[in-house]
Amino acid sequence: VQLVESGGGLVQAGESLRLSCAPNGFTFDDHAVAWFRQAPGKEREGVACIALSDGTTYYADSAKGRFAISNDNAKKNVNLRIHSLKPEDAGVYYCAADWSCYLVGGVLRDQFGYWGHGTQVTVSS
């Protein structure tokens, strides 16, 4: 049982990117699926989460306006679209899943039971 991320790569600043998270060994049901990113030398940061039960979404302040998390019912994936990429968006993006978006003090915490291995996003300026 794991999650598989895809869609990372090298992009130029200002471009858009779509990351996908697919379950392997199970299917998304009423899970909450989140995206975290870890930049070099920095702690892992939760950027977005979606509760598949009702579509409620959460975005970190750093992600508001340019990130969009969505449930692709056809492909049974959860996507994260990033628009107008900036160099500071670079890092390893991880997908995580559990039964709710764990927020403490309005901040997404990494207390998720299922994780992927991550996909690298590099942004050239």
Side-chain angles (χ1 to χ4, degrees):
V1 175
Q2 67 181 77
L3 302 172
V4 180
E5 303 96 336
S6 61
L10 173 63
V11 294
Q12 290 191 335
E15 292 184 340
S16 297
L17 193 68
R18 186 186 71 179
L19 305 179
S20 291
C21 173
N24 184 18
F26 71 108
T27 57
F28 287 144
D29 192 1
D30 287 340
H31 292 84
V33 181
W35 284 93
F36 288 78
R37 71 179 175 192
Q38 187 165 23
K42 294 187 176 181
E43 293 187 355
R44 189 162 56 187
E45 171 194 21
V47 295
C49 189
I50 183 169
L52 299 181
S53 59
D54 62 4
T56 301
T57 57
Y58 158 89
Y59 294 97
D61 287 342
S62 60
K64 289 178 181 177
R66 295 189 300 114
F67 288 53
I69 189 169
S70 62
N71 179 22
D72 186 339
N73 287 318
K75 297 182 178 179
K76 309 298 184 184
N77 294 341
V78 170
N79 297 320
L80 181 71
R81 290 186 179 271
I82 310 173
H83 302 284
S84 302
L85 277 151
K86 303 177 180 180
E88 53 263 40
D89 293 325
V92 180
Y93 281 73
Y94 297 91
C95 175
D98 213 302
W99 296 110
S100 65
C101 296
Y102 294 107
L103 299 171
V104 177
V107 177
L108 189 63
R109 300 301 184 185
D110 59 359
Q111 294 168 292
F112 286 77
Y114 303 112
W115 288 86
H117 293 295
T119 184
Q120 177 74 48
V121 173
T122 304
V123 183
S124 63
S125 56

